[in-house]
Amino acid sequence: MLAACVVAAPGLPASPAVARERAGLAAERQLFRQARAALARHDLARVVALRKRLDGYPLAGYLDIRLAAERMRRGSDDTVPLVLARYPDLPDARDLRDAWIRDLARRGQWPAVARQLRLLPAAGVRHPGIAILARFYTGDVAGAVAAYEALWRRGGGDEDRLRPVARAWRRAGGPTAEARWERACALMERGRWSRVRPLLDGMSATDRQLMRRWRSGRRHPAAILARWPLPARVDRHEARVLARLLRLLSRRDPPFGGRRRGGDGAGGGVVAAWRAADRLRRAFDPVAWGRLRRRLALRAARRQLPQAVEWLASLPEQVQSDGTRAWRARLLLADGDWPGVLRAIAAMPPEQRHRPEWAYWQARALEQLGYGREARALFGVLAGGRGYFSFLSAERLGLPYRLSSSSAEPDAALRRALLRLPGIRRAREWLRLGLPAKARREWFRALQRVDVSPEGVVAAAERRGRDRSGGERMSARRKWYAAARLARDWGWFDRAILAAQRAGAVEDLPLRFPLAWSRHVRRAAARTGLDPALIWSVIRQESAFNAQAVSAAGARGLMQLRPSTAAMVWRRMAGRRGRPDLFDPRTNIMIGSRYLAAMVRRFDGNLALAVAAFNAGPARVARWLRRRPWERGDLWVAAIPFRETRRYVQQVLTYAAVYDWRLGGGRRSFSISRLLGGGFRLALAGE
């Protein structure tokens, strides 16, 4: 058995025992790579031979799991239960059990499927048809029928193998008229008219007509709504279709025709929808009516229409939200209505009003209205924090940013205890193999399943969901802080940042804001003219230094670049061809920095606009600027329509200040207010 993993103290030579252990691990690591390559070739004999030489290797169990999965694929699942029993803590064991459930279902072994679903309930969520059939064939016919109806209402349940359950459901009286309606609505939301048509025969004449109007309104909502007869009474079905068509209309801009991607039209569609909703109000009950008007008012606010302030103010209190109150205040800020800003903030509930954003704007309004003492008091409270509004407040008072840093002494005993955890050892090996996604699964599973006593002893957690006393919370913080320091020492910066956050280590700025890939960042800064602090801040915000990050939209790598954008920049870099490797830090940083520098040039050196364009796209930022000229950047940032982009700009500027402080050895030269002080006009956008 391999000895417990021990890491030598930084800066000291490894002991002979540690050196021998590292050499042994390196040799076994090479054998493991060969075994994975053999698995890719489906050469099981070679895998088995290599596996015999890896009994003590931390990742050997993964080979057993893969071998069991491969044998199951070839028709034999004899080893699957043995492997699952032997390696219950390996994350890939869940994947094996999931695959086994699907294989058992394919072979019709429903009692075994039911047993495995009890051990892995998440598989029933991923495979609802299998879960329904397991209930049906193990005697729970009523439960299976109820689950099938719920699935059918959501637009599913069309699998051939579910026909026995569907027949039992129909014998029990399904589907009801309401179930037909719900299914038709779910399918219409996806544009699946061909699947809605067979449902029409079982509907009332009124519901059939509503569905046909919905279909026509998908392309021409304004025309359909203009011809819509006045409702005689409140009707849930009619209200649902009307609400959907009104939302479609609100996203369009009738004067120019067609739908504007991203919702950046001139706003005619929102105004038309608001007027049509007023005419058709009788179809809605008060709650549905209020929610619809709230949705339309918020869309108008994001487009900064002049009617939006009045519409938001007209909403009844029961449908007001943090979003409606915030947007009313933002629009009043844009209009320079400082008394109105104070009233809007005063109308917020205390938990919203006391957030840094609104405390800052309350202070700004007081300052503008001549209440200097009260404004300075609020700025003073905010300046003691660390963040975008705290830094702006400090500058209002002529104070330095609060950027002092402190680190706790590392707990050597706790570090050694963590290093002895099998899951942490496996995570380290996956990192050495260049597979951080595998390492992350092991890392957090290991850390979530252990507790730390006040004495620093690490033990397996006996149960989850228990009440946490102050001492237990402190122990958890010690655990996560030790894990953060460990990940940082490994060069695993994204895990270090996340663990530091869980530890509440807000004062340890070097841990939370690493200067990773320094050579690549400084080279990119020299070639593009960007401040390295800005490049690091974008990396920190975009990926938290996860070089393998992939967003839901397909953006990749450290600076989260879309492949199409990266390819465009790549071609312009000395005429390079092919697809750049966006998971390579050097390539990603150079391409991302060049694109960011292009945004800075396009927006005439305005960093706030350039950062917003990096996130939301330059065309969209230019459209936002068309709506009105802006004399102050802090007001423009406050009114950015997309919450994600607004938050992004604030975070990047804040992080740039932190990195500037770090690079300056504790001296600050970065000023957020100075960056936001110039005019934000379209003429400066270089269109």
Side-chain angles (χ1 to χ4, degrees):
M1 181 62 67
L2 188 69
C5 180
V6 179
V7 174
L12 296 178
S15 69
V18 170
R20 285 194 300 272
E21 180 181 319
R22 288 179 178 174
L25 275 174
E28 291 175 323
R29 196 174 301 128
Q30 186 58 33
L31 293 175
F32 185 75
R33 286 193 178 99
Q34 295 173 20
R36 281 174 57 85
L39 277 168
R41 299 191 305 269
H42 305 291
D43 184 355
L44 298 196
R46 174 66 173 158
V47 177
V48 171
L50 289 167
R51 172 63 182 88
K52 292 177 180 178
R53 301 167 62 185
L54 290 168
D55 273 345
Y57 185 59
L59 303 183
Y62 282 89
L63 294 179
D64 292 339
I65 290 173
R66 289 288 304 277
L67 282 168
E70 183 65 22
R71 287 169 175 145
M72 181 174 63
R73 191 180 69 83
R74 298 185 181 192
S76 173
D77 64 351
D78 293 348
T79 61
V80 171
L82 299 175
V83 168
L84 290 176
R86 185 176 181 184
Y87 303 111
D89 292 337
L90 292 194
D92 280 20
R94 292 171 60 89
D95 302 334
L96 177 61
R97 193 181 299 276
D98 186 280
W100 193 28
I101 287 170
R102 287 181 278 121
D103 185 68
L104 290 168
R106 180 182 58 81
R107 292 185 279 128
Q109 297 187 20
W110 297 111
V113 170
R115 287 194 298 273
Q116 295 307 314
L117 284 173
R118 286 193 291 272
L119 294 171
L120 187 62
V125 177
R126 285 192 296 271
H127 314 297
I130 290 176
I132 289 169
L133 287 169
R135 298 177 74 170
F136 185 78
Y137 286 118
T138 56
D140 185 9
V141 176
V145 165
Y148 177 80
E149 178 173 342
L151 178 65
W152 193 84
R153 283 174 179 252
R154 298 194 301 270
D158 297 321
E159 305 165 64
D160 287 343
R161 61 183 176 179
L162 288 175
R163 285 180 180 176
V165 187
R167 286 195 293 268
W169 175 52
R170 288 187 170 88
R171 286 195 299 270
T176 63
E178 188 62 23
R180 285 180 178 273
W181 172 260
E182 288 295 327
R183 179 177 176 84
C185 288
L187 294 170
M188 281 298 295
E189 292 286 354
R190 304 174 208 161
R192 305 295 295 274
W193 172 252
S194 62
R195 293 178 60 193
V196 172
R197 191 182 289 113
L199 299 170
L200 298 180
D201 290 341
M203 292 184 182
S204 67
T206 301
D207 284 352
R208 285 199 300 271
Q209 187 179 43
L210 285 173
M211 280 293 151
R212 292 190 174 106
R213 286 177 180 168
W214 189 348
R215 184 196 181 198
S216 300
R218 286 176 59 83
R219 291 189 175 182
H220 309 290
I224 293 297
L225 289 167
R227 297 196 301 268
W228 200 285
L230 289 176
R233 57 184 175 79
V234 171
D235 184 281
R236 284 191 309 110
H237 290 185
E238 186 174 11
R240 182 166 182 172
V241 175
L242 281 172
R244 181 59 179 166
L245 295 180
L246 289 165
R247 293 200 299 271
L248 282 171
L249 177 58
S250 73
R251 291 200 290 266
R252 303 194 180 192
D253 191 19
F256 297 96
R259 180 175 176 178
R260 296 284 185 93
R261 187 174 295 175
D264 286 308
V270 185
V271 175
W274 186 271
R275 291 171 179 166
D278 271 339
R279 187 176 73 85
L280 301 166
R281 178 174 183 171
R282 278 188 291 181
F284 298 89
D285 63 48
V287 174
W289 171 248
R291 289 174 178 167
L292 173 64
R293 284 168 63 89
R294 178 176 64 193
R295 184 185 292 269
L296 297 177
L298 283 171
R299 190 174 295 280
R302 294 186 188 101
R303 296 188 182 189
Q304 297 169 8
L305 300 186
Q307 304 94 324
V309 172
E310 179 185 346
W311 291 359
L312 289 167
S314 71
L315 296 175
E317 182 59 32
Q318 59 266 31
V319 298
Q320 291 280 359
S321 65
D322 283 2
T324 60
R325 298 183 187 97
W327 268 108
R328 185 170 176 231
R330 290 190 186 106
L331 294 175
L332 292 167
L333 280 169
D335 292 336
D337 183 353
W338 295 106
V341 170
L342 277 182
R343 290 193 296 272
I345 294 174
M348 294 176 178
E351 61 273 14
Q352 183 180 14
R353 185 169 65 245
H354 295 153
R355 292 171 191 162
E357 178 180 10
W358 300 115
Y360 171 80
W361 288 115
Q362 183 181 7
R364 283 290 308 279
L366 289 169
E367 184 182 53
Q368 291 290 324
L369 296 173
Y371 298 98
R373 180 186 302 173
E374 293 84 349
R376 286 191 295 275
L378 270 177
F379 285 137
V381 172
L382 289 169
R386 184 183 293 139
Y388 176 77
F389 293 104
S390 293
F391 290 173
L392 288 178
S393 297
E395 292 200 46
R396 304 299 293 186
L397 299 175
L399 298 174
Y401 299 163
R402 194 181 75 79
L403 284 170
S404 59
S405 179
S406 64
S407 302
E409 284 297 320
D411 189 328
L414 183 52
R415 177 190 176 98
R416 287 193 296 271
L418 290 178
L419 283 167
R420 284 193 294 270
L421 292 174
I424 298 299
R425 292 167 56 203
R426 292 192 293 263
R428 180 60 169 146
E429 274 305 297
W430 282 123
L431 277 181
R432 286 170 170 152
L433 289 163
L435 294 167
K438 291 277 194 183
R440 279 193 291 273
R441 293 183 75 184
E442 284 282 13
W443 174 261
F444 276 109
R445 185 174 176 84
L447 290 171
Q448 291 282 13
R449 292 168 65 87
V450 300
D451 283 340
V452 179
S453 73
E455 294 76 25
V457 177
V458 175
E462 295 179 1
R463 61 186 186 277
R464 296 182 181 276
R466 57 181 163 185
D467 294 334
R468 293 286 182 181
S469 68
E472 287 177 316
R473 284 195 299 271
M474 181 63 69
S475 295
R477 289 189 172 191
R478 291 175 61 207
K479 171 183 73 176
W480 286 108
Y481 187 69
R485 296 286 293 261
L486 186 62
R488 192 269 310 275
D489 292 347
W490 290 351
W492 202 11
F493 299 109
D494 59 309
R495 297 304 97 183
I497 291 168
L498 191 53
Q501 178 182 339
R502 292 197 174 205
V506 295
E507 299 298 326
D508 195 333
L509 295 185
L511 185 59
R512 295 177 55 225
F513 296 92
L515 297 172
W517 292 289
S518 178
R519 182 163 56 90
H520 302 324
V521 170
R522 293 181 188 277
R523 180 180 298 167
R527 292 183 178 179
T528 60
L530 295 177
D531 190 325
L534 181 63
I535 299 174
W536 261 308
S537 69
V538 170
I539 294 172
R540 174 64 168 79
Q541 174 62 22
E542 287 283 5
S543 67
F545 295 90
N546 179 4
Q548 304 298 314
V550 180
S551 75
R556 299 178 180 181
L558 290 172
M559 297 185 76
Q560 286 292 275
L561 303 173
R562 290 177 180 267
S564 57
T565 302
M568 175 191 69
V569 177
W570 186 250
R571 286 193 300 270
R572 294 175 181 175
M573 291 169 59
R576 303 188 188 196
R577 296 184 180 182
R579 292 174 177 263
D581 180 4
L582 296 180
F583 296 123
D584 173 59
R586 177 183 177 182
T587 302
N588 192 286
I589 290 170
M590 182 53 70
I591 293 176
S593 298
R594 284 184 180 260
Y595 182 64
L596 181 56
M599 295 300 99
V600 173
R601 290 192 298 272
R602 174 167 180 166
F603 291 97
D604 198 32
N606 190 309
L607 286 188
L609 292 178
V611 168
F614 191 90
N615 176 259
R620 184 173 282 124
V621 171
R623 287 199 295 271
W624 293 341
L625 289 170
R626 283 194 198 100
R627 294 171 180 171
R628 66 168 77 201
W630 296 87
E631 296 299 335
R632 290 202 54 84
D634 55 353
L635 295 175
W636 181 81
V637 172
I640 290 175
F642 293 173
R643 181 182 181 276
E644 176 196 340
T645 303
R646 185 167 61 250
R647 177 71 171 162
Y648 181 90
V649 173
Q650 293 170 358
Q651 290 288 81
V652 167
L653 295 180
T654 303
Y655 293 167
V658 176
Y659 274 109
D660 176 77
W661 178 84
R662 286 211 66 198
L663 293 171
R667 296 184 300 276
R668 177 175 65 84
S669 61
F670 191 87
S671 169
I672 296 177
S673 293
R674 189 164 60 245
L675 289 176
L676 298 176
F680 277 53
R681 296 174 180 272
L682 185 61
L684 297 180
E687 281 213 317

